[in-house]
Amino acid sequence: MGDVYCKVADRYDAVSDMISMSMNKRWKQRFIEQMRPMPGDKMLDVAGGTCEVARRYLQYQDTVNHDTTSSVHVVDFNDSMLQVGRRRMAQSSWMDNERVTFAQGNAEDLADVPDNSVDIYCISAGMHNLPHPERALREAYRVVKPGGRFACLEYGHTDMPVIGQICRWYWDTGIPFLGQVLANDRASYERLARSVRTFPHQKRFAQAIRHAGFHLPGAGYELYQWGMMVAYIGSKPRTA
């Protein structure tokens, strides 16, 4: 999937807004609020290159928690996406105060991140791109501190018959069409849509998260817009 993101890195968030029919920003803001960041938290933002989530996280810490000690480390496999994030943050006080840092890395092998070192592991719309999501979950468990949080926002499956049928049509037909219009690249967006459509159902993925060792309350997830997007917020046991 790297070729898709290289081609649209500068317009990635705008394209995401169009694909999500302008719901993307609302989903991410709700996601941050559900994380319930605490003052001083150190967040690892995986596949977070453009800093859309990192920016909202730091804004939340500044305005809600009145905290200036929290930080976020952004990791992305794609250097083009990281360059976009660096440019967006370049003039911010967060960069000046080293509250946001960047590194190129692989979600399935976070070799440069120590064990039990982050308060929040976050990944937004990144799991479906990975060949082996279970490896990323194991890495997430390794790097989160005991008592820390796991936060994943990912495309889901809509079980409501009529709405589900519309969503499947949209992914199979609408997204490739938008890829042709927006990036002159139908084939890459067909692969993107296929990666989303073949990602496990939220019930199965919640089981995978629990299997990795995290505690998920209740059903293990919250549906956004009938399951178009799904938030998984869990924690690592304090006795781990």
Side-chain angles (χ1 to χ4, degrees):
M1 297 306 304
D3 54 345
V4 177
Y5 299 107
C6 285
K7 291 175 182 177
V8 302
D10 287 316
R11 295 173 294 146
Y12 175 76
D13 291 323
V15 171
S16 294
D17 284 343
M18 293 191 68
I19 288 175
S20 69
M21 294 170 282
S22 298
M23 294 301 297
N24 188 51
K25 288 185 172 62
R26 295 182 187 179
W27 291 337
K28 289 183 177 179
Q29 187 60 39
R30 171 63 177 155
F31 181 54
I32 293 294
E33 292 167 359
Q34 283 187 284
M35 283 185 204
R36 297 182 180 177
M38 300 296 291
D41 274 352
K42 179 180 179 181
M43 185 171 86
L44 176 66
D45 186 14
V46 178
T50 64
C51 287
E52 180 66 19
V53 170
R55 179 178 61 81
R56 291 177 183 276
Y57 166 78
L58 290 170
Q59 284 178 339
Y60 182 97
Q61 291 284 25
D62 288 355
T63 60
V64 177
N65 288 337
H66 306 291
D67 170 57
T68 59
T69 62
S70 52
S71 63
V72 56
H73 183 54
V74 180
V75 174
D76 202 295
F77 186 77
N78 191 299
D79 187 60
S80 297
M81 299 286 276
L82 285 172
Q83 289 179 24
V84 172
R86 288 190 181 100
R87 287 199 300 271
R88 288 182 175 178
M89 292 293 203
Q91 304 302 317
S92 72
S93 61
W94 301 320
M95 283 283 279
D96 294 340
N97 297 328
E98 297 184 342
R99 291 180 63 196
V100 57
T101 54
F102 299 87
Q104 190 169 8
N106 184 349
E108 296 181 6
D109 183 13
L110 297 168
D112 295 331
V113 183
D115 296 358
N116 305 314
S117 62
V118 300
D119 298 291
I120 303 174
Y121 173 102
C122 168
I123 183 166
S124 173
M127 281 287 181
H128 73 273
N129 290 321
L130 303 177
H132 306 287
E134 70 282 358
R135 296 180 185 175
L137 292 174
R138 287 198 296 268
E139 280 292 86
Y141 188 82
R142 179 183 65 80
V143 302
V144 172
K145 297 176 182 178
R149 277 145 288 159
F150 170 86
C152 175
L153 186 65
E154 189 51 80
Y155 296 107
H157 297 263
T158 303
D159 293 331
M160 298 175 67
V162 175
I163 295 175
Q165 187 174 2
I166 293 171
C167 288
R168 287 189 291 273
W169 173 89
Y170 184 63
W171 280 110
D172 292 341
T173 304
I175 297 299
F177 173 76
L178 287 174
Q180 181 64 40
V181 172
L182 298 174
N184 194 31
D185 187 0
R186 184 182 184 89
S188 292
Y189 280 81
E190 285 177 340
R191 292 198 298 275
L192 172 61
R194 189 161 53 248
S195 73
V196 170
R197 291 272 278 112
T198 58
F199 191 75
H201 188 278
Q202 45 268 19
K203 291 181 180 178
R204 283 183 53 206
F205 191 57
Q207 290 176 347
I209 295 170
R210 288 178 170 131
H211 183 73
F214 290 106
H215 168 72
L216 292 175
Y221 54 85
E222 180 176 325
L223 303 180
Y224 295 176
Q225 298 302 119
W226 311 289
M228 291 176 64
M229 209 73 172
V230 183
Y232 308 84
I233 309 290
S235 60
K236 182 173 177 176
R238 292 186 181 276
T239 56

